[in-house]
Each structure stands twice: as C-alpha cells, then as structure tokens.
Amino acid sequence: MAKTALITGASSGLGAEYARQLAAKGADLVLVARDRQALERLAVGLRSTYGVEVEILAADLLKARQREKVEARVADETRPIEVLVNNAGFGLPLAFEANDIEDEARHLHLHVEVPMRLTHAALGGMLARGHGRIVNVASVAAFIPRSTYGACKGWLVSFSRWANGHYGPRGVTVTAVCPGYTHTSFHERLGLAPGEEGVSDLMWLDARDVVAESLRDAARGRAVSIPSRRYKVLVALARFAPPSLAARIGERGR
C-alpha cells in the first residue's frame, strides 16, 4: 500500500510544492485548502504526471466544523496518514498596534492551534503503527523577532523540538521547517507585488530547494530544518545579537 500524505495550504506555494515532491516519491495525497478549484487543477496534474491517488478536502481551517472534518480525516485509521504537512498560514503587517485584533487572533489560531490539533489527531494512529512523519512549516522568523508572526513560529519550533525528542524513539518524527524568504504567492497575498518586498535578491530561496532539503531533513529525523546555508549562518548569528538589534533585523523586508 502506498503511503498517504496530507498537506494543508496545498493549493499554492510551498504546499503545492510539497504535493509535487511527495507525489514524485510515490505518495498518495490528501490536499487541504479553501480554494477547491485550485486544488482540483493541482490534483489533475499530479494524477496524470505521477499516477498517484489524490483526494481533495476543501476546508477553511479557521472554521471549527470544517477543521474538524480535516482532523477526522487525519485520525481515520481505515485510511492512515503516514505524512502530515502543516503548511497553511498567512501573514500580517508587522505593526501589531495598527492591526485588527481579530485578524491577529485568527493569525494565532491558524499558525498555532490548527497545527497543534492536527498533530494531536495524527499521533494516535502513528504511534500505534510505530511510524509516521509530521512536518510543521515554521520560519526563520522563529529565531529573529518579527512581531506576532515570529512569535507564532517560535511556538511551532519549540513544540516540534519537544515532540521530536519525545515521540522520535517511538517511530514518529516531528520536524519544524524554517525557510527564509521564498518565492511563493505569500507576499502577494499581503498586497506586495514581486520586487516590492524590500528584500535583497541574495536572500530569496526557490520553493523546490526549500521543500527538497526539508524532506531530506525530515527523513533523517531532524527536529529543525533550516534550508540553505545562508539562513543557517543568519540564524546562528542572530542568537548573539542584542534584542534591539535583532528586532531591527526582523523589521527588514515585508
């Protein structure tokens, strides 16, 4: 039986790239996102190119009833999920004081509560089988102060580190993936056209490289994956930066 991977935020960007690379490895897929049409277009290409089974679950993970359907699918032992990729997310402007607090609450919910719930739903079956892999897409912002986005991703990294150490010996690995600026539609959804992000060309990563390196790290059982050497160096240096300097660094780019 082929392994099945469930990916949230699968309609575009890193989520769609995880779908392509996992399908290329022979995994059947469950694709989760709000945009059913985008998922269907992606599914057609994946089926024809890789010959894998693709299931579509159109769901808004910020709505309890729709999220619960995804949780039930993750926990369904008659159709086990071997790989869970928690990728769904969105960004907000860095000026916390000017943001709508309800937007901030939804941001926190999607980046923290949703992956926590889906991880919990996955663990029962994975531990019973003695194997499984959970990938939590975080960010280098987890290590560099960057408003509430960095705070959410910091939680995800800390949780993944603990979970990997706790469940890894029982066959279930948990990896926090921490990419830097990556060419996807993430910034466009913030209203920033390509080139308006305020980021040097040297700092941009390709989604294919990010996903490939993160999947290799996950397969090796690493708790944290920081794709690309340049961001590994940046994170190492950030640990020694005074808080005020680290905050200024985190304000660069959008």
Side-chain angles (χ1 to χ4, degrees):
M1 180 184 296
K3 294 180 179 179
T4 301
L6 185 145
I7 305 162
T8 67
S11 59
S12 63
L14 287 177
E17 187 58 33
Y18 273 109
R20 284 187 285 268
Q21 292 197 27
L22 286 165
K25 296 176 184 293
D28 292 331
L29 301 170
V30 181
L31 306 180
V32 180
R34 291 177 299 173
D35 189 337
R36 178 179 291 277
Q37 290 185 339
L39 290 178
E40 290 175 345
R41 288 194 297 270
L42 178 60
V44 168
L46 293 169
R47 292 182 187 118
S48 62
T49 302
Y50 303 107
V52 298
E53 297 292 328
V54 183
E55 177 184 344
I56 289 172
L57 246 178
D60 184 342
L61 294 171
L62 290 174
K63 295 181 178 179
R65 288 186 179 179
Q66 295 183 40
R67 187 202 67 238
E68 287 165 3
K69 292 180 181 179
V70 180
E71 289 179 58
R73 178 63 185 87
V74 171
D76 185 353
E77 278 306 287
T78 66
R79 299 176 294 164
I81 297 298
E82 179 70 17
V83 180
L84 168 64
V85 181
N86 284 310
N87 169 73
F90 68 94
L92 292 172
L94 298 179
F96 170 72
E97 78 286 354
N99 290 340
D100 185 288
I101 193 60
E102 294 306 321
D103 287 342
E104 288 283 2
R106 285 188 286 270
H107 182 262
L108 179 69
H109 177 49
L110 187 59
H111 287 270
V112 173
E113 184 177 348
V114 168
M116 179 183 69
R117 286 181 176 274
L118 294 183
T119 296
H120 189 269
L123 279 171
M126 289 182 176
L127 290 170
R129 295 190 301 272
H131 51 83
R133 191 170 298 164
I134 298 171
V135 175
N136 292 322
V137 179
S139 168
V140 293
F143 308 101
I144 302 167
R146 192 170 173 82
S147 191
T148 52
Y149 183 76
C152 290
K153 296 305 188 180
W155 183 93
L156 199 56
V157 169
S158 180
F159 175 66
S160 299
R161 277 178 165 155
W162 169 81
N164 194 61
H166 189 70
Y167 298 115
R170 298 171 63 184
V172 180
T173 62
V174 183
T175 302
V177 180
C178 301
Y181 292 106
T182 305
H183 286 298
T184 65
S185 59
F186 181 86
H187 289 86
E188 291 180 42
R189 293 198 299 272
L190 277 171
L192 298 171
E196 295 182 358
E197 308 94 344
V199 180
S200 166
D201 290 344
L202 293 173
M203 300 308 292
W204 284 100
L205 302 175
D206 186 272
R208 291 169 297 183
D209 297 334
V210 168
V211 170
E213 186 169 345
S214 70
L215 288 176
R216 286 194 297 270
D217 286 342
R220 293 167 182 153
R222 293 182 176 171
V224 178
S225 172
I226 304 174
S228 94
R229 186 171 299 174
R230 77 198 80 160
Y231 278 105
K232 288 181 174 69
V233 171
L234 180 62
V235 168
L237 293 175
R239 292 171 180 160
F240 300 100
S244 58
L245 175 59
R248 288 198 297 274
I249 293 172
E251 290 170 0
R252 295 184 179 181
R254 299 273 305 278

